[in-house]
């Protein structure tokens, strides 16, 4: 990032922090209201925690079925042996003990929007004054003929971290000498735009040590991808990218996308009939907002939840706020950092609305680090503001990406990636 860009970026960061702390002095007449947060990922946990910091008396319930949340950020690092699943696991103890959030370990089966009630799978019903939804993503069922998300136990997506990540890692490590990993990348928009390319890098690090003739082939329905110049320069430097011996190949199939799977032959087939066989098939399906949001009628034909970005209120229901991957905050990418940022702005909006206060205009941040090797990090950062009542825009000149050929800075960025991960987890869950 150029100096001027970094300075502007830091100014906006401190302005955003000021906007949050300034809300402490707002009226607290809505203290007895009940705010229910659904989904204990980066968005939901941050929203619950921030609400508590704004109002000591508010009645806050978080509903999340899992006792331990496994973070997707950092999960690609497992393929290079840099992380284990327990190191990616976080519980809700701090939310309960330190932030006095009532955490209910259950799944929300349905939302009765007219009566403002949730039906939980365990049988309980729960009334809310305001609902914050951060339920993450679901996978489209019909994008690749012959493939359904139920086949993920054979062809893991590993796009929801946990057992899927371990399965894909076992398949990688059991691959025959000189075998092929196919990564079928998803179309836009999807969670974590640089994720498939960081994954290829981390897998290549392991293969270079243990299966040096193996190949990773990325089949992409997009013409270009996030941080492409940086990834390709890194692949050239470390994995012979662009030569016949390259461990990583990237193919755009924008005009000829993968449309079929022949599961028996472990082969994916493109629109024009080109066949690609892999020993390991990492099919990352096209995505939508989570099923709960779809069933509640909160998505539009894009499959994502349209919101008023200023308040994160659903355009279909003003008592429901949607944040994180499920919501449509374009051009902000779907990332954990963005979910954390959207959650903070949403908590301020909910608090303001409960107290009949003007909702302050939010800023949002996204910083996304990726590792190409354990010692080579790259990053992209963006700062966003309201462009109009219903549109978000990137602030020109704020944010930016690392430089190609940054030399020693790449090592620093790799270290920053690790510390940014720890900070984000602490900031969201502890
Ligand atoms: C491989 C990979 C690497 C990534 N790396 C990064 C990175 O380095 N940096 C970064 O910023 N982002 C990264 N991301 C993206 C990041 O993981 C997501 O953007 C982030 O998790 C979104 O948070 P969320 O709260 O919207 O959803 P989630 O984290 O998916 O949380 C949703 C929660 O809702 C719960 N839920 C769903 N339905 C219900 C229901 N009906 N009832 C109750 N609970 C429900 C789920 O159990 C889940 O815990 C990565 C993603 C992947 C796949």
């Amino acid at each position: 990032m150029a100096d001027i860009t970094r300075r502007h970026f830091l100014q906006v960061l401190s302005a955003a922090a000021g906007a949050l702390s300034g809300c402490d002095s707002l009226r607290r007449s809505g203290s007895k209201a009940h705010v229910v947060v659904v989904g204990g990922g980066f968005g939901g946990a941050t929203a619950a925690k921030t609400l508590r910091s704004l109002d000591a008396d508010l009645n806050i319930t978080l509903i999340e079925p899992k006792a331990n949340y496994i973070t997707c950020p950092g999960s690609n690092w497992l393929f290079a042996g840099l992380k284990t699943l327990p190191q990616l696991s976080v519980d809700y103890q701090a939310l309960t003990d330190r932030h006095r959030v009532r955490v209910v370990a259950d799944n929300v089966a349905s939302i009765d929007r007219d009566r403002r009630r949730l039906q939980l799978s365990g049988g309980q019903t729960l009334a809310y004054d305001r609902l914050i939804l951060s339920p993450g993503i679901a996978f489209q069922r019909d994008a690749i003929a012959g493939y359904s998300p139920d086949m993920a136990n054979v062809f893991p997506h590993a796009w929801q971290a946990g057992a899927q990540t371990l399965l894909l890692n076992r398949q990688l490590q059991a691959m025959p000498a000189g075998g092929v990993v196919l990564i079928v990348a998803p179309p836009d928009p999807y969670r974590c735009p640089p994720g498939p390319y960081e994954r290829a890098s981390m897998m290549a690090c392991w293969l270079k040590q243990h299966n040096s003739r193996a190949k990773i082939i990325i089949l992409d329905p997009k013409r270009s991808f996030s941080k492409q110049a940086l990834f390709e320069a890194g692949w050239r430097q470390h994995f012979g990218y662009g030569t016949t011996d390259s461990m990583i190949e990237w193919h755009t199939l924008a005009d000829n996308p993968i449309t079929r799977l022949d599961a028996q032959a472990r082969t994916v087939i493109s629109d024009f009939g080109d066949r690609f066989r892999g020993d390991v098939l990492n099919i990352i399906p096209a995505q939508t907002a989570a099923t709960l949001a779809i069933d509640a009628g909160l998505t539009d034909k894009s499959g994502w939840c349209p919101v008023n970005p200023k308040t994160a209120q659903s355009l279909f229901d003003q008592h429901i706020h949607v944040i994180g991957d499920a919501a449509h905050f374009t051009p902000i990418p779907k990332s954990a950092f963005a979910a954390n940022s959207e959650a903070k702005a949403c908590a301020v909006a909910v608090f303001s609305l409960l107290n009949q206060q003007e909702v302050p205009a939010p800023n949002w941040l996204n910083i996304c680090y990726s590792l190409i090797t354990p010692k080579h990090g790259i990053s992209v950062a963006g700062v966003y503001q309201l462009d109009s009542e219903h549109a978000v825009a990137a602030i020109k000149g704020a944010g930016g990406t690392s430089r190609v050929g940054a030399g020693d800075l790449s090592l620093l960025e790799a270290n920053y990636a690790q510390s940014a991960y720890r900070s984000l987890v602490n900031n969201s869950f502890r």
Side-chain angles (χ1 to χ4, degrees):
M1 225 184 292
D3 273 357
I4 182 71
T5 309
R6 196 178 288 278
R7 203 162 48 238
H8 187 178
F9 176 67
L10 291 173
Q11 279 166 358
V12 178
L13 248 184
S14 58
L20 267 183
S21 58
C23 289
D24 281 350
S25 60
L26 293 178
R27 276 194 299 127
R28 293 172 180 230
S29 58
S31 299
K32 293 284 185 286
H34 187 202
V35 178
V36 178
V37 182
V38 177
F42 283 94
T46 307
K49 180 181 159 181
T50 309
L51 271 173
R52 173 59 71 230
S53 74
L54 293 167
D55 191 328
D57 302 321
L58 193 65
N59 190 1
I60 308 168
T61 303
L62 174 81
I63 306 175
E64 163 63 50
K66 298 189 291 270
N68 288 293
Y69 173 83
I70 313 284
T71 67
C72 283
S75 66
N76 280 332
W77 303 349
L78 186 141
F79 301 112
L82 299 178
K83 286 275 182 209
T84 62
L85 222 50
Q87 290 169 337
L88 297 170
S89 172
V90 56
D91 64 26
Y92 297 100
Q93 205 64 45
L95 275 189
T96 309
D97 295 350
R98 192 175 308 155
H99 305 291
R100 292 181 294 106
V101 172
R102 179 180 166 227
V103 178
V104 176
D106 208 337
N107 186 66
V108 175
S110 61
I111 304 172
D112 181 343
R113 285 170 39 194
D114 293 336
R115 294 158 78 195
R116 282 194 243 157
R117 275 200 199 159
L118 302 176
Q119 179 65 53
L120 307 195
S121 300
Q124 207 185 338
T125 55
L126 213 60
Y128 61 84
D129 295 296
R130 287 201 171 264
L131 180 63
I132 300 178
L133 280 188
S134 190
I137 57 161
F139 298 110
Q140 279 181 26
R141 299 196 75 81
D142 46 5
I144 297 180
Y147 173 85
S148 86
D150 314 334
M151 297 164 85
N153 57 350
V154 183
F155 307 114
H157 50 73
W159 222 240
Q160 283 160 329
Q164 278 281 300
T165 319
L166 290 183
L167 175 62
L168 182 58
N169 197 40
R170 277 199 302 277
Q171 292 187 355
L172 177 77
Q173 298 196 354
M175 195 168 70
V180 172
V181 180
L182 284 186
I183 298 180
V184 181
D188 286 324
Y190 62 99
R191 91 170 0 166
C192 195
Y197 317 99
E198 183 190 56
R199 173 168 294 174
S201 311
M202 293 289 91
M203 286 178 158
C205 287
W206 189 86
L207 290 171
K208 204 171 161 179
Q209 300 288 322
H210 303 279
N211 190 349
S212 61
R213 287 186 298 107
K215 269 204 189 303
I216 301 166
I217 299 178
I218 306 168
L219 302 174
D220 211 321
K222 304 181 288 297
R223 286 184 203 287
S224 59
F225 61 88
S226 171
K227 296 186 267 193
Q228 181 163 358
L230 291 163
F231 274 112
E232 290 185 327
W235 293 343
R236 238 172 255 122
Q237 187 180 339
H238 304 291
F239 308 117
Y241 186 67
T243 68
T244 46
D245 289 335
S246 178
M247 182 165 267
I248 298 178
E249 290 178 16
W250 175 76
H251 299 275
T252 173
L253 297 181
D255 299 319
N256 179 26
I258 297 300
T259 49
R260 272 181 296 152
L261 167 70
D262 179 344
Q264 203 74 34
R266 306 189 73 80
T267 297
V268 288
I269 304 160
S270 74
D271 209 15
F272 297 161
D274 297 325
R275 299 173 71 87
F276 302 87
R277 191 191 168 280
D279 297 285
V280 173
L281 264 70
N282 175 210
I283 299 176
I284 307 169
Q287 293 154 38
T288 64
T291 314
L292 179 67
I294 297 173
D295 292 349
L298 298 169
T299 51
D300 62 17
K301 64 178 186 327
S302 72
W304 304 98
C305 300
V307 294
N308 170 352
K310 185 173 182 186
T311 59
Q313 281 166 298
S314 162
L315 295 190
F316 302 128
D317 189 325
Q318 59 164 343
H319 292 102
I320 300 181
H321 303 247
V322 191
I323 53 173
D325 288 353
H328 185 79
F329 272 92
T330 311
I332 306 178
K334 296 185 184 300
S335 76
F337 202 103
N340 171 285
S341 186
E342 289 156 18
K344 287 173 179 165
C346 172
V348 171
V350 167
F351 176 78
S352 305
L353 290 167
L354 287 173
N355 289 281
Q356 290 95 44
Q357 299 279 331
E358 176 77 14
V359 177
N363 284 116
W364 301 271
L365 305 174
N366 179 57
I367 305 173
C368 190
Y369 286 95
S370 304
L371 291 182
I372 295 177
T373 72
K375 295 186 173 173
H376 187 152
I378 57 176
S379 64
V380 59
V383 189
Y384 304 86
Q385 65 185 2
L386 274 180
D387 196 25
S388 65
E389 193 59 25
H390 286 294
V392 179
I395 299 177
K396 286 200 177 66
T401 58
S402 329
R403 260 189 309 112
V404 172
D408 291 347
L409 284 179
S410 306
L411 174 59
L412 271 182
E413 292 233 68
N415 294 337
Y416 293 154
Q418 303 262 4
S419 53
Y421 170 78
R422 285 192 296 275
S423 305
L424 185 61
V425 170
N426 288 337
N427 191 273
S428 304
F429 294 92
R430 292 176 180 136

